[in-house]
């Protein structure tokens, strides 16, 4: 797909979710898409490589959460993978927000370092770590205004990863698919134990599609106990229920 066609499709989709973007940022997203597809030949970054789907299911799906983030806030994206939603959010608003992207696979961090270098991205930090380990580091624990995560784990597991990073008054932005009722019910105990409270659930469909998404906003209302998160692997094997 040529840049002009990419720009036209992207801007049309973003307009439907009330996001304006300039040509320089469009070009950065275009370069990023091409970098993902190029590196994807050698390391597993995504199964979505067709440009129309990439715009829809990666860029629009990532940028939909921008409205929940205020200027001058800090964001940590855990389990970022190929950089979603952290890289698109940084491209859109890197001049007014600080971003930290975390992944447990070093190959992905090496890829993201190349993205940051080639796109000359600012206010972004990349960390190779298990989130269970990083959340015990006082430089990162309860230091962020927002923690975001997309399709990483069931909600009762995800909140044990996320809430330890959030300062009191901050929030978790959990990006989920459809049919989340059972997940929310199963996560109520974990959310309470870890110091959170669900304040908003927003259901939407990706523009011009029947693809359903849900964003669950969890506010941090009190400190997370120092025993959480538990050691690497335990939250997934033995979730709080």
């Amino acid at each position: 797909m040529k840049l002009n066609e990419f720009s036209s499709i992207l801007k049309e989709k973003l307009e439907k979710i009330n996001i304006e973007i300039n040509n320089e940022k469009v070009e950065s997203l275009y370069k990023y898409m091409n970098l993902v597809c190029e590196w994807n030949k050698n390391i597993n970054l995504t199964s979505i490589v067709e440009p129309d789907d990439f715009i829809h299911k990666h860029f629009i799906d990532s940028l939909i959460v921008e409205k929940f983030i205020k200027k001058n806030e800090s964001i940590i994206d855990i389990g970022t993978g190929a950089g979603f939603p952290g890289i698109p959010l940084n491209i859109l608003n890197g001049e007014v927000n600080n971003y930290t992207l975390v992944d447990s696979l070093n190959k992905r961090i090496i890829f993201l370092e190349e993205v940051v270098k080639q796109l000359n991205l600012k206010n972004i930090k990349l960390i190779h770590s298990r989130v269970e380990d990083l959340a015990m580091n006082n430089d990162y624990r309860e230091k962020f205004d927002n923690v975001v995560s997309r399709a990483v784990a069931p909600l009762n597991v995800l909140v044990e990863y996320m809430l330890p990073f959030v300062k009191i008054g901050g929030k978790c932005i959990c990006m989920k698919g459809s049919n989340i009722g059972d997940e929310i019910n199963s996560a109520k105990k974990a959310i309470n134990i870890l110091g959170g409270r669900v304040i908003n659930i927003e259901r939407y469909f990706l523009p011009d599609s029947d693809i359903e998404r849900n964003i669950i906003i969890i506010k941090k209302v009190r400190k997370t106990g120092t025993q959480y998160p538990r050691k690497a692997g335990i939250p997934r094997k033995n979730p709080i229920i």
Side-chain angles (χ1 to χ4, degrees), residues 46-68:
T46 180
S47 60
I48 300 167
V49 294
E50 198 280 322
D52 280 312
D53 284 343
F54 203 105
I55 291 169
H56 215 189
K57 296 178 181 178
H58 281 326
F59 290 155
I60 303 303
D61 196 34
S62 292
L63 294 173
I64 195 83
V65 302
E66 183 269 342
K67 64 183 176 181
F68 297 106

mmCIF file of all heavy atoms in Angstrom, residues 46-68:
data_model
loop_
_atom_site.group_PDB
_atom_site.id
_atom_site.type_symbol
_atom_site.label_atom_id
_atom_site.label_comp_id
_atom_site.label_asym_id
_atom_site.label_seq_id
_atom_site.Cartn_x
_atom_site.Cartn_y
_atom_site.Cartn_z
ATOM 1 N N THR A 46 3.280 -10.410 14.629
ATOM 2 C CA THR A 46 1.843 -10.293 14.416
ATOM 3 C C THR A 46 1.394 -11.234 13.307
ATOM 4 O O THR A 46 2.168 -11.545 12.398
ATOM 5 C CB THR A 46 1.452 -8.846 14.033
ATOM 6 O OG1 THR A 46 0.036 -8.776 13.829
ATOM 7 C CG2 THR A 46 2.162 -8.392 12.764
ATOM 8 N N SER A 47 0.152 -11.663 13.396
ATOM 9 C CA SER A 47 -0.442 -12.442 12.304
ATOM 10 C C SER A 47 -1.195 -11.533 11.342
ATOM 11 O O SER A 47 -1.674 -11.973 10.299
ATOM 12 C CB SER A 47 -1.406 -13.499 12.875
ATOM 13 O OG SER A 47 -2.450 -12.871 13.599
ATOM 14 N N ILE A 48 -1.300 -10.249 11.697
ATOM 15 C CA ILE A 48 -2.031 -9.275 10.879
ATOM 16 C C ILE A 48 -1.027 -8.462 10.065
ATOM 17 O O ILE A 48 -0.296 -7.635 10.619
ATOM 18 C CB ILE A 48 -2.880 -8.346 11.770
ATOM 19 C CG1 ILE A 48 -3.892 -9.160 12.572
ATOM 20 C CG2 ILE A 48 -3.588 -7.275 10.937
ATOM 21 C CD1 ILE A 48 -4.557 -8.386 13.688
ATOM 22 N N VAL A 49 -0.967 -8.689 8.781
ATOM 23 C CA VAL A 49 0.013 -8.001 7.936
ATOM 24 C C VAL A 49 -0.621 -7.302 6.744
ATOM 25 O O VAL A 49 0.029 -6.485 6.090
ATOM 26 C CB VAL A 49 1.111 -8.979 7.444
ATOM 27 C CG1 VAL A 49 1.949 -9.473 8.617
ATOM 28 C CG2 VAL A 49 0.515 -10.155 6.689
ATOM 29 N N GLU A 50 -1.876 -7.603 6.433
ATOM 30 C CA GLU A 50 -2.545 -6.947 5.314
ATOM 31 C C GLU A 50 -2.838 -5.502 5.724
ATOM 32 O O GLU A 50 -3.387 -5.255 6.801
ATOM 33 C CB GLU A 50 -3.837 -7.690 4.974
ATOM 34 C CG GLU A 50 -4.404 -7.393 3.597
ATOM 35 C CD GLU A 50 -5.167 -6.091 3.565
ATOM 36 O OE1 GLU A 50 -5.855 -5.792 4.554
ATOM 37 O OE2 GLU A 50 -5.042 -5.366 2.560
ATOM 38 N N PRO A 51 -2.468 -4.505 4.899
ATOM 39 C CA PRO A 51 -2.522 -3.103 5.338
ATOM 40 C C PRO A 51 -3.873 -2.628 5.865
ATOM 41 O O PRO A 51 -3.933 -1.937 6.887
ATOM 42 C CB PRO A 51 -2.102 -2.326 4.090
ATOM 43 C CG PRO A 51 -1.206 -3.260 3.350
ATOM 44 C CD PRO A 51 -1.791 -4.623 3.579
ATOM 45 N N ASP A 52 -4.972 -2.974 5.200
ATOM 46 C CA ASP A 52 -6.278 -2.533 5.684
ATOM 47 C C ASP A 52 -6.561 -3.088 7.083
ATOM 48 O O ASP A 52 -7.044 -2.362 7.970
ATOM 49 C CB ASP A 52 -7.384 -2.992 4.724
ATOM 50 C CG ASP A 52 -7.498 -2.094 3.500
ATOM 51 O OD1 ASP A 52 -7.538 -0.867 3.673
ATOM 52 O OD2 ASP A 52 -7.520 -2.618 2.373
ATOM 53 N N ASP A 53 -6.264 -4.360 7.278
ATOM 54 C CA ASP A 53 -6.461 -4.970 8.591
ATOM 55 C C ASP A 53 -5.516 -4.376 9.623
ATOM 56 O O ASP A 53 -5.879 -4.204 10.795
ATOM 57 C CB ASP A 53 -6.248 -6.484 8.512
ATOM 58 C CG ASP A 53 -7.417 -7.206 7.869
ATOM 59 O OD1 ASP A 53 -8.503 -6.615 7.774
ATOM 60 O OD2 ASP A 53 -7.235 -8.355 7.443
ATOM 61 N N PHE A 54 -4.289 -4.098 9.190
ATOM 62 C CA PHE A 54 -3.293 -3.517 10.096
ATOM 63 C C PHE A 54 -3.788 -2.176 10.627
ATOM 64 O O PHE A 54 -3.715 -1.900 11.835
ATOM 65 C CB PHE A 54 -1.963 -3.342 9.357
ATOM 66 C CG PHE A 54 -0.758 -3.285 10.248
ATOM 67 C CD1 PHE A 54 0.098 -4.365 10.352
ATOM 68 C CD2 PHE A 54 -0.469 -2.147 10.987
ATOM 69 C CE1 PHE A 54 1.220 -4.320 11.170
ATOM 70 C CE2 PHE A 54 0.645 -2.089 11.816
ATOM 71 C CZ PHE A 54 1.491 -3.184 11.906
ATOM 72 N N ILE A 55 -4.292 -1.337 9.720
ATOM 73 C CA ILE A 55 -4.821 -0.032 10.131
ATOM 74 C C ILE A 55 -5.950 -0.212 11.132
ATOM 75 O O ILE A 55 -5.994 0.439 12.190
ATOM 76 C CB ILE A 55 -5.311 0.758 8.900
ATOM 77 C CG1 ILE A 55 -4.123 1.172 8.018
ATOM 78 C CG2 ILE A 55 -6.098 1.997 9.331
ATOM 79 C CD1 ILE A 55 -4.523 1.713 6.667
ATOM 80 N N HIS A 56 -6.860 -1.116 10.798
ATOM 81 C CA HIS A 56 -8.067 -1.309 11.585
ATOM 82 C C HIS A 56 -7.777 -1.956 12.929
ATOM 83 O O HIS A 56 -8.175 -1.443 13.988
ATOM 84 C CB HIS A 56 -9.012 -2.196 10.769
ATOM 85 C CG HIS A 56 -10.455 -1.870 10.942
ATOM 86 N ND1 HIS A 56 -11.456 -2.649 10.446
ATOM 87 C CD2 HIS A 56 -11.088 -0.855 11.575
ATOM 88 C CE1 HIS A 56 -12.627 -2.126 10.744
ATOM 89 N NE2 HIS A 56 -12.424 -1.040 11.426
ATOM 90 N N LYS A 57 -7.104 -3.095 12.892
ATOM 91 C CA LYS A 57 -6.982 -3.948 14.078
ATOM 92 C C LYS A 57 -5.771 -3.633 14.946
ATOM 93 O O LYS A 57 -5.696 -4.097 16.091
ATOM 94 C CB LYS A 57 -6.953 -5.415 13.654
ATOM 95 C CG LYS A 57 -8.249 -5.864 12.995
ATOM 96 C CD LYS A 57 -8.170 -7.310 12.529
ATOM 97 C CE LYS A 57 -9.458 -7.754 11.857
ATOM 98 N NZ LYS A 57 -9.397 -9.149 11.355
ATOM 99 N N HIS A 58 -4.833 -2.860 14.409
ATOM 100 C CA HIS A 58 -3.687 -2.452 15.216
ATOM 101 C C HIS A 58 -3.726 -0.954 15.540
ATOM 102 O O HIS A 58 -3.693 -0.569 16.712
ATOM 103 C CB HIS A 58 -2.372 -2.795 14.518
ATOM 104 C CG HIS A 58 -1.973 -4.236 14.648
ATOM 105 N ND1 HIS A 58 -2.230 -4.981 15.766
ATOM 106 C CD2 HIS A 58 -1.311 -5.057 13.789
ATOM 107 C CE1 HIS A 58 -1.759 -6.212 15.609
ATOM 108 N NE2 HIS A 58 -1.203 -6.287 14.411
ATOM 109 N N PHE A 59 -3.814 -0.108 14.513
ATOM 110 C CA PHE A 59 -3.719 1.329 14.769
ATOM 111 C C PHE A 59 -4.992 1.915 15.376
ATOM 112 O O PHE A 59 -4.931 2.594 16.411
ATOM 113 C CB PHE A 59 -3.351 2.076 13.491
ATOM 114 C CG PHE A 59 -1.939 1.828 13.040
ATOM 115 C CD1 PHE A 59 -1.581 1.970 11.706
ATOM 116 C CD2 PHE A 59 -0.953 1.452 13.937
ATOM 117 C CE1 PHE A 59 -0.280 1.739 11.285
ATOM 118 C CE2 PHE A 59 0.352 1.225 13.527
ATOM 119 C CZ PHE A 59 0.682 1.377 12.194
ATOM 120 N N ILE A 60 -6.142 1.653 14.769
ATOM 121 C CA ILE A 60 -7.385 2.187 15.330
ATOM 122 C C ILE A 60 -7.646 1.569 16.701
ATOM 123 O O ILE A 60 -8.012 2.261 17.659
ATOM 124 C CB ILE A 60 -8.577 1.931 14.383
ATOM 125 C CG1 ILE A 60 -8.303 2.533 12.992
ATOM 126 C CG2 ILE A 60 -9.860 2.512 14.978
ATOM 127 C CD1 ILE A 60 -7.995 4.011 12.999
ATOM 128 N N ASP A 61 -7.431 0.276 16.807
ATOM 129 C CA ASP A 61 -7.653 -0.426 18.066
ATOM 130 C C ASP A 61 -6.736 0.096 19.174
ATOM 131 O O ASP A 61 -7.121 0.122 20.348
ATOM 132 C CB ASP A 61 -7.433 -1.926 17.860
ATOM 133 C CG ASP A 61 -8.019 -2.763 18.992
ATOM 134 O OD1 ASP A 61 -9.062 -2.365 19.546
ATOM 135 O OD2 ASP A 61 -7.437 -3.802 19.316
ATOM 136 N N SER A 62 -5.527 0.517 18.821
ATOM 137 C CA SER A 62 -4.604 1.083 19.806
ATOM 138 C C SER A 62 -4.992 2.505 20.195
ATOM 139 O O SER A 62 -5.007 2.871 21.380
ATOM 140 C CB SER A 62 -3.175 1.077 19.260
ATOM 141 O OG SER A 62 -2.669 -0.226 19.126
ATOM 142 N N LEU A 63 -5.313 3.322 19.207
ATOM 143 C CA LEU A 63 -5.521 4.752 19.448
ATOM 144 C C LEU A 63 -6.884 5.056 20.061
ATOM 145 O O LEU A 63 -7.098 6.161 20.557
ATOM 146 C CB LEU A 63 -5.332 5.528 18.142
ATOM 147 C CG LEU A 63 -3.902 5.489 17.587
ATOM 148 C CD1 LEU A 63 -3.827 6.141 16.216
ATOM 149 C CD2 LEU A 63 -2.926 6.165 18.544
ATOM 150 N N ILE A 64 -7.786 4.084 20.075
ATOM 151 C CA ILE A 64 -9.110 4.296 20.664
ATOM 152 C C ILE A 64 -9.012 4.651 22.142
ATOM 153 O O ILE A 64 -9.896 5.316 22.702
ATOM 154 C CB ILE A 64 -9.984 3.033 20.465
ATOM 155 C CG1 ILE A 64 -11.462 3.344 20.723
ATOM 156 C CG2 ILE A 64 -9.532 1.884 21.340
ATOM 157 C CD1 ILE A 64 -12.192 3.950 19.581
ATOM 158 N N VAL A 65 -7.917 4.240 22.808
ATOM 159 C CA VAL A 65 -7.802 4.507 24.251
ATOM 160 C C VAL A 65 -7.206 5.873 24.541
ATOM 161 O O VAL A 65 -7.116 6.277 25.706
ATOM 162 C CB VAL A 65 -6.970 3.417 24.972
ATOM 163 C CG1 VAL A 65 -7.596 2.046 24.761
ATOM 164 C CG2 VAL A 65 -5.518 3.426 24.512
ATOM 165 N N GLU A 66 -6.829 6.609 23.511
ATOM 166 C CA GLU A 66 -6.178 7.907 23.707
ATOM 167 C C GLU A 66 -7.051 8.861 24.523
ATOM 168 O O GLU A 66 -6.543 9.657 25.326
ATOM 169 C CB GLU A 66 -5.850 8.514 22.333
ATOM 170 C CG GLU A 66 -5.104 9.832 22.366
ATOM 171 C CD GLU A 66 -6.034 11.039 22.362
ATOM 172 O OE1 GLU A 66 -7.217 10.877 21.988
ATOM 173 O OE2 GLU A 66 -5.582 12.134 22.731
ATOM 174 N N LYS A 67 -8.352 8.762 24.379
ATOM 175 C CA LYS A 67 -9.265 9.686 25.066
ATOM 176 C C LYS A 67 -9.256 9.509 26.582
ATOM 177 O O LYS A 67 -9.712 10.388 27.316
ATOM 178 C CB LYS A 67 -10.681 9.513 24.527
ATOM 179 C CG LYS A 67 -11.299 8.154 24.779
ATOM 180 C CD LYS A 67 -12.677 8.069 24.139
ATOM 181 C CE LYS A 67 -13.280 6.686 24.284
ATOM 182 N NZ LYS A 67 -14.615 6.596 23.644
ATOM 183 N N PHE A 68 -8.736 8.388 27.059
ATOM 184 C CA PHE A 68 -8.698 8.145 28.502
ATOM 185 C C PHE A 68 -7.414 8.686 29.148
ATOM 186 O O PHE A 68 -7.256 8.587 30.363
ATOM 187 C CB PHE A 68 -8.820 6.647 28.793
ATOM 188 C CG PHE A 68 -10.110 6.036 28.345
ATOM 189 C CD1 PHE A 68 -10.158 5.228 27.222
ATOM 190 C CD2 PHE A 68 -11.292 6.285 29.034
ATOM 191 C CE1 PHE A 68 -11.353 4.651 26.798
ATOM 192 C CE2 PHE A 68 -12.492 5.724 28.620
ATOM 193 C CZ PHE A 68 -12.525 4.914 27.505
#
